[in-house]
Amino acid sequence: MWSCPPPRTSARSGAAVGPTTSTSAVARADVHTRPLEARPLEYSVLLHAPRRIVAPISLGLTDLVGLTQRVAAEVRAGDHEVVIDPSRRWYQRIQGDDFVDVWLISWATEQYAELHDHAGSFGALTVVSGALTETRWTAGGLRSRKLRAGRSVGFGLGHVHDVANPSPTPAVSVHAYSPPLTAMSYYAPDSDGVLPRLRRTRSVLVEAGSSEGIG
Ligand SMILES: [Fe+2]
């Protein structure tokens, strides 16, 4: 489980030891009717109290991969219904809370996600059946790899990829995102004539539980 580091401590953020004097404080003392040294101790404590981190803690890549593998085993055991829809990608949210979303997705022939990122979320997928082709952005441009049944991969921050099923056999996969997707951008390959690069075509906000960007 990934966890946030403890708040940094320093001489300025440690326990309050009483009023301090700085050159700026001395300068302001000239215009205040009561000098800084005379402020109540409680006010000084508030100024120096360390901030609490209250944001949800996300799962790390290892945890996410393990989660998709466990849910994939449930799918193979018949615990979750799977629908193959030739007209559009089919998806079902298996789990969703403040920390992680888990989606079950089916891919009929020639169905694909589109080149995208996951904004501030980590991601992972496990292929349950069939095979998928992941095309991801690397320093050398777009690279593709085939993900066969049983294969799992994780997506760190900044991972830009497309996922597709070009084969005649339907594929099924389990995807997880932590924290749950809140925004994402779509891209198109471009070039300045020398180096390959990505051009962002649009960005969208993702509502809680929405299937936007799933893939
Ligand atoms: Fe994705």
Side-chain angles (χ1 to χ4, degrees):
M1 173 78 74
W2 180 90
S3 61
C4 295
R8 291 182 181 179
T9 58
S10 68
R12 290 179 58 83
S13 61
V17 293
T20 58
T21 302
S22 66
T23 53
S24 59
V26 170
R28 286 196 301 270
D30 294 334
V31 294
H32 283 275
T33 55
R34 187 171 62 177
L36 287 175
E37 288 76 8
R39 286 176 176 170
L41 178 61
E42 292 78 11
Y43 187 58
S44 177
V45 169
L46 283 177
L47 284 175
H48 297 281
R51 293 180 178 178
R52 295 183 58 195
I53 299 175
V54 295
I57 298 173
S58 65
L59 301 184
L61 288 181
T62 301
D63 296 315
L64 279 177
V65 168
L67 178 57
T68 60
Q69 291 172 338
R70 287 194 296 275
V71 176
E74 296 175 0
V75 177
R76 291 191 196 97
D79 294 346
H80 302 283
E81 180 189 27
V82 178
V83 176
I84 307 296
D85 185 346
S87 64
R88 67 172 185 86
R89 277 194 305 141
W90 174 88
Y91 22 74
Q92 179 71 47
R93 189 163 72 153
I94 301 297
Q95 176 184 337
D97 55 29
D98 290 340
F99 301 95
V100 63
D101 270 349
V102 182
W103 290 82
L104 177 58
I105 307 176
S106 71
W107 310 73
T109 302
E110 299 298 336
Q111 289 182 340
Y112 61 94
E114 198 174 344
L115 201 58
H116 65 276
D117 66 14
H118 312 91
S121 300
F122 291 162
L125 74 83
T126 291
V127 181
V128 177
S129 60
L132 295 171
T133 297
E134 184 199 28
T135 301
R136 66 193 191 283
W137 179 254
T138 70
L142 291 172
R143 296 285 185 271
S144 293
R145 56 181 174 179
K146 193 166 187 176
L147 307 177
R148 303 179 190 279
R151 178 81 180 272
S152 301
V153 293
F155 323 134
L157 298 181
H159 190 90
V160 174
H161 72 166
D162 188 9
V163 180
N165 176 23
S167 71
T169 304
V172 176
S173 55
V174 174
H175 299 235
Y177 307 92
S178 182
L181 291 171
T182 55
M184 58 181 299
S185 294
Y186 293 88
Y187 300 87
D190 201 349
S191 173
D192 61 358
V194 179
L195 296 174
R197 61 186 183 183
L198 284 179
R199 176 170 49 86
R200 187 177 61 186
T201 56
R202 70 185 189 280
S203 296
V204 297
L205 296 177
V206 179
E207 299 289 335
S210 167
S211 60
E212 176 76 53
I214 300 306

